[in-house]
Amino acid sequence: PSILASLADTLLVLSFQTPLKKTNALIAQMGITFVNAYVPSALCCPSRASILTGKYPHNHHVVNNTLEGNCSSKLWQKIQEPYTFPALLKAMCGYQTFFAGKYLNEYGAEAAGGVGHVPPGWSFWYALEKNSKYYNYTLSVNGKARRHGENYSVDYLTDVLANMSLDFLEYKSNFEPFFMMIATPAPHSPWTPAPQYTKSFQNVSAPRNSNFNIHGKNKHWLIRQAKTPMTNSSIQFLDDAYRKRWQTLLSVDDLIEKLVKKLEVNGELDNTYIFYTSDNGFHTGQFSLPIDKRQLYEFDIKVPLLVRGPGIKPNQTNKMLVANIDLGPTILDIAGYDLNKTQMDGMSLLPLLRGEKNVTWRSDFLVEYQGEGYNGSDPTCPGLGPGVTHCFPDCVCEDSYNNTYACVRTLSASWDLQYCEFDDREVFVEVYNLTADPHQINNIAKTIDQEILEKMNYRLMMLQSCSGATCRTPGVFDPGYRFDPRLMFSNHGLRARRFSAQFL
């Protein structure tokens, strides 16, 4: 069977159904919706690296969106790119492969080979140079630079990606299976909608959930520093951003419709798996943080995942805990590749897609992020000192060096829990019971049962050093879980140093 994967950039789960009505009808209603799909790191480059490699960030070593953070660096190209799932699909499974859109944020950087670098595994390569744009961008067309301007009819990137994808489906070989990965920058900033959609959703504003525009009490200092209540200008800004994001998604919705129709005309729809997902969530005003991602909370780490294809019954909902590290193993499994030959941390979703009974599945996964900050003071907020970044005019900063954390996100029959530790001087801990507190307002680290706390701490250390099969061992609340308190580190300082060293 053939496989098509669509990756929207920075997609807010709460809202994706409304602007994407065609996508909902053509994929979700014709297949399966995973309602508990997550990313291990809520930032573009580490998350995309996890999709491509099937690995947690501590194993692929992409920690942020910079070359220094291994984003599309020479080291990434040498160590990880030859073993991505598209490379295996092409070399070992005989697939013709097609990529169009945003690859990794630093792709095309001169220090990493420029746009002449075409990663192994791609028969057809149409990749955006660097980060998200809608106009005035450069594409690498099989290693040759092609510059685009600002004429909607020939340059609007979402439509350009759609047309390139349709051309591939028209002219590809019919004697080999195909894999397509289409990665639209939409709805990432700068949120430039197509002209026909600039008036859409005029009455839409960001959701006013119970964690909107409130003080993040009992949370890490970065959350506590946000000013509450937000200024009227901040609220207006985030509402406007939310509206424009929805507007950009209407062109993504059109792209999905065109591709599905083309597959149908070609007689290939019934033999093609179609995946739709995103690389991270997004917050708009939660805990008075204006807009960004990077944080450990549900609104940043949860993403949509829709799949249709052969053997998948329509209109299904699945509540299993899945992550983007599962996409590579799933696609290789569909192609018939032996997953035991890979070093991937994720699990194949194929048994869940086929509706197999009594499938043994994970009850937890790892979330990990290494914070970014300027060596000097942020020019917009000199009073905050060095180490912060992504600051708004009213000196609310979205990231810092010590916004470095790791979490165990658990979803079992008895617990819906998140346990997080920060790599800072405090070794600050946040714990949330999402059954009682779905919007993560109350940090229960100081009141939860001490035995559970110790078990979660130990499980976190295990996951932070896991690789391959050891990332899939039983979680704290699984029947097969074994806990030996003698293995606990007694020195939290040692624990924190081990955390930071692991990312390097």
Side-chain angles (χ1 to χ4, degrees):
S2 295
I3 306 153
L4 187 156
S6 177
L7 176 68
D9 196 337
T10 312
L11 195 60
L12 183 63
V13 180
L14 290 169
S15 63
F16 93 96
Q17 293 286 10
T18 304
L20 295 169
K21 290 181 178 175
K22 298 170 186 175
T23 303
N24 186 45
L26 294 169
I27 305 181
Q29 292 178 22
M30 299 303 294
I32 189 166
T33 299
F34 288 91
V35 295
N36 291 308
Y38 291 87
V39 296
S41 192
L43 189 63
C44 305
C45 208
S47 185
R48 287 160 182 265
S50 286
I51 291 171
L52 290 163
T53 62
K55 295 177 181 178
Y56 283 119
H58 70 262
N59 287 328
H60 61 57
H61 307 293
V62 177
V63 299
N64 58 37
N65 289 342
T66 67
L67 278 176
E68 297 74 23
N70 208 29
C71 181
S72 203
S73 67
K74 288 283 191 182
L75 186 66
W76 156 265
Q77 293 170 18
K78 179 181 178 181
I79 304 298
Q80 300 296 336
E81 273 188 344
Y83 305 102
T84 61
F85 79 83
L88 295 173
L89 272 183
K90 185 172 186 288
M92 309 303 294
C93 305
Y95 272 65
Q96 51 190 321
T97 56
F98 169 94
F99 182 88
K102 175 179 169 179
Y103 179 58
L104 300 174
N105 297 53
E106 285 294 330
Y107 172 75
E110 287 303 318
V115 295
H117 171 68
V118 177
W122 298 105
S123 318
F124 302 90
W125 178 252
Y126 303 93
L128 177 67
E129 179 189 39
K130 298 206 172 173
N131 203 5
S132 302
K133 290 185 177 180
Y134 296 78
Y135 293 110
N136 298 311
Y137 55 86
T138 297
L139 291 179
S140 171
V141 179
N142 298 315
K144 305 288 186 187
R146 178 192 292 173
R147 290 173 180 82
H148 282 258
E150 50 190 25
N151 179 342
Y152 168 71
S153 61
V154 294
D155 296 318
Y156 188 67
L157 184 53
T158 308
D159 293 353
V160 169
L161 299 179
N163 292 334
M164 288 174 167
S165 303
L166 293 171
D167 284 347
F168 171 75
L169 288 174
E170 179 69 22
Y171 299 113
K172 65 177 174 58
S173 165
N174 290 324
F175 301 102
E176 300 170 307
F178 65 86
F179 170 73
M180 303 176 72
M181 187 171 184
I182 303 156
T184 63
H188 197 285
S189 62
W191 317 304
T192 309
Q196 67 270 30
Y197 294 135
T198 55
K199 303 297 184 191
S200 301
F201 306 123
Q202 288 300 300
N203 297 320
V204 165
S205 56
R208 268 41 173 185
N209 293 331
S210 58
N211 57 8
F212 179 83
N213 197 17
I214 65 168
H215 179 59
K217 62 180 180 178
N218 300 323
K219 288 177 166 51
H220 189 240
W221 77 268
L222 186 69
I223 309 300
R224 298 197 307 268
Q225 58 88 35
K227 292 178 173 60
T228 306
M230 290 184 288
T231 62
N232 288 338
S233 60
S234 287
I235 293 176
Q236 185 176 347
F237 174 74
L238 68 87
D239 278 339
D240 188 48
Y242 190 89
R243 190 178 307 113
K244 287 178 179 175
R245 286 159 57 78
W246 273 30
Q247 292 169 354
T248 68
L249 283 171
L250 291 173
S251 295
V252 177
D253 210 29
D254 292 339
L255 177 152
I256 297 291
E257 181 185 44
K258 291 172 188 173
L259 290 174
V260 171
K261 283 186 175 179
K262 181 63 176 174
L263 288 168
E264 191 170 27
V265 168
N266 286 1
E268 296 173 313
L269 182 60
D270 291 342
N271 197 37
T272 301
Y273 288 90
I274 304 176
F275 293 74
Y276 181 90
T277 191
S278 180
D279 55 354
N280 48 253
F282 202 64
H283 57 257
T284 47
Q286 285 77 25
F287 304 125
S288 300
L289 296 171
I291 58 166
D292 201 25
K293 50 265 186 149
R294 307 168 191 270
Q295 309 306 337
L296 58 87
Y297 309 102
E298 294 284 284
F299 44 71
D300 283 0
I301 63 172
K302 202 169 189 180
V303 293
L305 177 57
L306 317 175
V307 191
R308 68 171 287 175
I312 303 176
K313 294 176 182 175
N315 265 319
Q316 289 188 82
T317 297
N318 188 290
K319 295 181 179 179
M320 293 295 196
L321 189 60
V322 302
N324 68 1
I325 56 172
D326 300 332
L327 294 174
T330 302
I331 290 168
L332 289 174
D333 199 11
I334 288 170
Y337 189 74
D338 181 0
L339 297 180
N340 291 322
K341 294 180 179 179
T342 75
Q343 299 297 313
M344 293 183 175
D345 303 331
M347 304 170 68
S348 171
L349 301 173
L350 198 52
L352 303 183
L353 297 178
R354 290 175 171 164
E356 294 179 14
K357 303 298 182 187
N358 302 318
V359 176
T360 300
W361 200 253
R362 71 160 69 85
S363 65
D364 63 13
F365 78 100
L366 176 68
V367 180
E368 51 190 352
Y369 176 66
Q370 181 167 303
E372 295 181 61
Y374 292 124
N375 287 328
S377 297
D378 189 294
T380 58
C381 299
L384 283 174
V388 295
T389 187
H390 294 81
C391 298
F392 284 82
D394 52 357
C395 285
V396 174
C397 298
E398 294 274 4
D399 207 1
S400 67
Y401 277 132
N402 68 358
N403 185 38
T404 296
Y405 58 80
C407 308
V408 182
R409 179 70 178 91
T410 296
L411 187 60
S412 68
S414 54
W415 283 95
D416 189 352
L417 192 71
Q418 186 168 4
Y419 172 90
C420 302
E421 290 184 15
F422 283 82
D423 183 16
D424 59 10
R425 286 182 218 160
E426 299 176 278
V427 192
F428 195 83
V429 175
E430 294 188 27
V431 184
Y432 298 98
N433 175 359
L434 283 94
T435 303
D437 179 24
H439 294 128
Q440 296 170 294
I441 294 170
N442 301 308
N443 178 8
I444 59 171
K446 293 182 178 176
T447 58
I448 193 170
D449 182 86
Q450 186 65 27
E451 184 183 354
I452 292 178
L453 213 57
E454 289 177 359
K455 286 182 176 179
M456 298 305 289
N457 172 269
Y458 178 62
R459 179 65 176 161
L460 180 60
M461 287 190 286
M462 295 290 290
L463 285 174
Q464 280 185 270
S465 58
C466 77
S467 179
T470 59
C471 297
R472 304 187 290 271
T473 54
V476 167
F477 303 106
D478 289 334
Y481 179 73
R482 294 291 178 267
F483 173 61
D484 185 350
R486 293 173 298 178
L487 298 175
M488 295 285 294
F489 286 146
S490 59
N491 186 325
H492 261 299
L494 173 63
R495 164 78 183 80
R497 285 195 297 275
R498 189 188 146 288
F499 181 16
S500 53
Q502 196 156 25
F503 276 110
L504 302 178

